[in-house]
Structures are given as C-alpha cells and as structure tokens.
Amino acid sequence: MSLTSLLGGDASVKAAFQVVKRPVGLAMLPIAAFPLSRSPAMIGTAFDYALRFGLEARGWAAHDHWIADSAIVRALTTPELQPLVGLALMQQAEAKRLIEVAGEALTCGELSAGAARACTLLAGVDILQRAPSYAGAALMRPLEDADVLDLQALYRIVPWKRFQPTTVLHLNPTFREGSLAVGGADADLIVDDCLIEIKTTKTSKIELSHLRQLVGYALLANQFGVDEKGGQSVTIRRLGVYLSRAGVLVSWPLEECVSEKEQGRLLDALLARGRAQWRRE
C-alpha cells in the first residue's frame, strides 16, 4: 500500500480528501512539446530523470540514490524478478557512464542523444520498483528515434530559472516515519517551501487526483519532516505542478487547496488507514 493507492483505493481516505479544492484560475495550458514516442509512460519517467540531471548539473541539488537503485535492491530480494537483475545492473551502469560523459553539457538547453538514452535506460530499471509486472518488457525495449526526439523537445522548454532554489532543493524527497506509515511515499521535488509534482501527460491539465496527492505529501512533510540531504529543514507552504509538455510550472499556497483546519483531519485519515493496511500486510 502506498500514498497513491490509499488515495485511489481506500474509501475512507477518498471520502476525507473530497475537501481538497482546485485553486481558482487553474486552466489547461497549450502544449509546446507534442508527444512523439510510442511509450508515453516510459517518456514520463525518463523525463523525470532528465530534469533531475539538469538540476544536478547546475549545482542546485545532489542525489544520494535514484529510484533505479532501489528498484535493483527490490529485484534482488524478489524471486520472480531476480532473473532480470543482471540486465538491470548492466543498463544502470551504462546509464551512469552516459551521464558522466554528458557532464556540464546538461547545463545547456539541449539534451544529447546519449543523455536521452541514459534516461530511458533508467526508466526501464525504475519499473522494477514501480510496476514490476512490466519490467521484463521495459528492460528489453530498444531505444527508438522518437524517444530521443520526445525527450529532447521536453528538455528544450524547461524554464530552469523557475527551479533555482534560494535555500534548498530536494530530489525525490521522502518523509521519514510518515513515508513508512503509508507504505511508501516519495515526491518529485521540493524547491524552497514548494512541493512540486512533474506531470508529462498528453494534455496539460491538472486533475484533482494530482492535487490530492500533493496535499498528502505536504501533510506528511510538515508533520514528519523531510529526509534531508543538504542539512536544511523545510516547511511546505506551496504546492506546484510542472506541466512538462507546456513547459510551465504553476504553484499556489497549500491553503488554497485545503484549509489549515482540515489538514489535521486529512493527515489522521491517511495515517490511520495506512498503518492498518501495513499491519495486515
């Protein structure tokens, strides 16, 4: 059970989170990078890596692990995934080599074909953690020209200055005991006091499900803190969504989605159901 599955599948949590509101003026934005790849889900995960590599190359953040690293650990301890470990390790090593070769070039507005390949390789390994039943096909899928062009178009329109922190930037933040309590919760980015979700979807529309997930992460972060990689604590006051096909980061105060009065009730609902499910499993 994870935060996503709690919000989508647990009746009591879904009912509690009905109070989450859509901010005023939130509208669909025009697409600037149209989908090209035949594997949109893979491109979404690959772009997550590309964005993070760009942030790291600019010196704004540093990672201590990738989801792909955790995915390999999971595969090593899961009998049905163990036959894929060798291939996953090879692809992870190749991806890291390609990113090292890319180096400072990641600070320009273009993503090289090699860096794009690295991101797609890591996206394939990532599936061992996110959706293990599809991992074999993902690891064996050949890179297509359309994949590279799609990632390059998305990278080209990133408004990098919008992600430049004044104090702290966390990649894939987790929320200490709060993440454990709901069976796993890791967000995409925290920039200063803003929790950001990256969305690479066909339409640049922010769904209520996206907002509810962000609210859940924010409540866990503010209650339990963030696993700090830079030694600086944060309080989440804003929520944001980066609509990567529009090249636009939108954000708004947390209280525009859920009042301070309701926040404690929602957190209690999350923790109660998450811990109950964790004990059963």
Side-chain angles (χ1 to χ4, degrees):
M1 180 68 72
S2 66
L3 178 59
T4 304
S5 54
L6 275 173
L7 291 170
D10 186 277
S12 62
V13 174
K14 287 175 69 175
F17 272 73
Q18 294 300 308
V19 299
V20 173
K21 303 184 294 294
R22 186 185 297 276
V24 175
L26 204 57
M28 188 181 299
L29 296 167
I31 296 293
F34 289 90
L36 301 172
S37 172
R38 296 188 298 172
S39 301
M42 182 278 292
I43 288 295
T45 303
F47 176 72
D48 290 355
Y49 279 104
L51 181 64
R52 289 173 178 83
F53 291 142
L55 296 171
E56 289 186 70
R58 286 164 172 76
W60 299 342
H63 80 277
D64 60 359
H65 79 285
W66 296 331
I67 298 299
D69 299 331
S70 301
I72 289 175
V73 172
R74 174 174 180 168
L76 284 167
T77 58
T78 306
E80 58 269 30
L81 296 178
Q82 286 175 1
L84 299 173
V85 169
L87 180 58
L89 286 169
M90 288 174 55
Q91 294 192 1
Q92 180 195 50
E94 174 66 1
K96 291 184 176 182
R97 183 190 70 79
L98 289 168
I99 290 300
E100 288 174 2
V101 169
E104 291 185 3
L106 288 162
T107 61
C108 74
E110 297 291 331
L111 186 71
S112 69
R117 173 169 172 73
C119 295
T120 61
L121 288 171
L122 290 168
V125 177
D126 196 285
I127 292 180
L128 288 165
Q129 176 82 4
R130 302 290 193 187
S133 60
Y134 298 98
L139 287 168
M140 296 174 193
R141 179 186 179 277
L143 180 69
E144 298 179 353
D145 290 344
D147 303 331
V148 173
L149 293 172
D150 208 347
L151 284 171
Q152 289 175 327
L154 290 166
Y155 199 83
R156 195 173 294 126
I157 63 173
V158 174
W160 293 105
K161 289 295 185 181
R162 292 294 314 278
F163 292 97
Q164 185 173 8
T166 56
T167 54
V168 66
L169 195 160
H170 290 298
L171 305 176
N172 287 115
T174 53
F175 314 115
R176 301 177 179 169
E177 296 89 344
S179 288
L180 296 175
V182 297
D186 65 294
D188 286 339
L189 299 171
I190 292 175
V191 180
D192 297 329
D193 64 352
C194 186
L195 181 73
I196 299 170
E197 186 81 1
I198 306 165
K199 292 298 178 186
T200 303
T201 52
K202 291 181 180 180
T203 61
S204 291
K205 180 182 179 181
I206 299 174
E207 305 287 351
L208 267 174
S209 60
H210 303 156
L211 301 178
R212 289 166 181 154
Q213 186 177 30
L214 277 168
V215 167
Y217 287 148
L219 299 181
L220 292 173
N222 289 341
Q223 176 68 23
F224 297 99
V226 175
D227 287 309
E228 298 163 26
K229 302 174 181 65
Q232 291 177 287
S233 61
V234 296
T235 299
I236 303 302
R237 297 184 176 88
R238 298 185 64 81
L239 305 179
V241 176
Y242 177 59
L243 298 161
S244 62
R245 293 207 176 275
V248 175
L249 172 61
V250 292
S251 65
W252 52 88
L254 172 61
E255 286 74 19
E256 283 194 23
C257 288
V258 60
S259 69
E260 187 173 353
K261 179 180 177 181
E262 293 283 0
Q263 290 174 25
R265 184 174 69 84
L266 297 193
L267 180 64
D268 288 344
L270 270 184
L271 296 177
R273 298 304 298 169
R275 286 167 174 157
Q277 182 67 27
W278 182 82
R279 285 194 295 269
R280 286 196 294 272
E281 294 176 352

